[in-house]
Amino acid sequence: MKLPLPGILHSRPHLSVAVVLGALAWPLLPGEWPWLARLLTAWDVTVWTYLVTMAVMMLRADHHDIRRAARKQDERGPVILATLSLAVMISLVAIVSQLSQGGAKSHYAFVVLTLTGSWFMLGTMFCSHYAHLYYENETAEPPLDFPDRSLQPNYWDFLYFSFTISVALQTSDVAVRSRSLRKVVLGQSVLCFFYNLAILGLSINIAASLING
């Protein structure tokens, strides 16, 4: 007899696998490492596992797959998105703390890896959420209006929409037709504004340290 899977494992398998691997990585890391370095390493395992598994899935998925995935997700989506967004911002604070402790030049590569992964994770999480909101209720008017209306949007379209916001803090040629979705777009815009601002400041700090070092 097939045992029922917990809701989050069934509806978000890629996130579930990433979180489990990150949790398993923590006790396997060298005990002599500072706790902050171990925490960020476990976070990196979580983030990059999520990104890789999501990329593989998105490359192979069409709009039928997105529709099926949207039906699996439940009302906890906004809570999970908010929690992960908070975790990304906390990782940024941890990176700042890690940089303040100094270290070798290889230390900066670790910081860049963490910053890059967290930034891509933000865009990918919101992409998945936009896809879910688009396909969750097919009887209602779609909350996003893509220019090519003859095609059903796939993950490339939602990635385009999400990362346009992440990079430029604007929605480009895709119109937002839902008040609830405008709130999500606003949330992503504010998050990405502060995250991009922090990346700029940290990049200047790293460049100055490398030049002076």
Side-chain angles (χ1 to χ4, degrees), residues 57-72:
M57 182 271 293
M58 288 179 175
L59 286 172
R60 299 157 58 182
D62 58 17
H63 66 277
H64 298 293
D65 299 314
I66 304 175
R67 185 178 289 110
R68 283 192 292 269
R71 289 171 179 169
K72 289 180 182 179

Side-chain angles (χ1 to χ4, degrees), residues 137-153:
N137 187 1
E138 297 184 64
T139 61
E141 184 179 44
L144 290 174
D145 185 12
F146 291 92
D148 191 348
R149 299 183 180 180
S150 63
L151 298 175
Q152 290 290 331

Side-chain angles (χ1 to χ4, degrees), residues 43 81-92 122 125 191:
W43 171 253
L81 182 65
T83 302
L84 290 174
S85 298
L86 178 61
V88 168
M89 300 310 290
I90 291 175
S91 75
L92 185 60
L122 265 180
M125 288 187 315
L191 275 174

Side-chain angles (χ1 to χ4, degrees), residues 45-177:
V45 171
T46 300
V47 167
W48 287 103
T49 299
Y50 175 76
L51 290 175
V52 170
T53 56
M54 286 292 289
V56 171
M57 182 271 293
M58 288 179 175
L59 286 172
R60 299 157 58 182
D62 58 17
H63 66 277
H64 298 293
D65 299 314
I66 304 175
R67 185 178 289 110
R68 283 192 292 269
R71 289 171 179 169
K72 289 180 182 179
Q73 296 185 20
D74 53 29
E75 67 279 358
R76 292 175 297 181
V79 176
I80 294 174
L81 182 65
T83 302
L84 290 174
S85 298
L86 178 61
V88 168
M89 300 310 290
I90 291 175
S91 75
L92 185 60
V93 175
I95 291 169
V96 173
S97 178
Q98 182 82 347
L99 275 177
S100 66
Q101 298 176 10
K105 291 185 177 179
S106 59
H107 180 74
Y108 296 125
F110 172 66
V111 169
V112 170
L113 179 71
T114 307
L115 280 174
T116 305
S118 295
W119 186 84
F120 274 106
M121 187 175 189
L122 265 180
T124 305
M125 288 187 315
F126 276 94
C127 161
S128 178
H129 192 61
Y130 293 135
H132 166 64
L133 293 177
Y134 188 94
Y135 282 109
E136 70 172 343
N137 187 1
E138 297 184 64
T139 61
E141 184 179 44
L144 290 174
D145 185 12
F146 291 92
D148 191 348
R149 299 183 180 180
S150 63
L151 298 175
Q152 290 290 331
N154 60 18
Y155 277 120
W156 285 109
D157 298 297
F158 295 111
L159 283 169
Y160 166 74
F161 178 72
S162 179
F163 278 95
T164 298
I165 298 172
S166 294
V167 173
L169 305 180
Q170 62 181 21
T171 58
S172 187
D173 57 346
V174 181
V176 182
R177 304 168 65 178

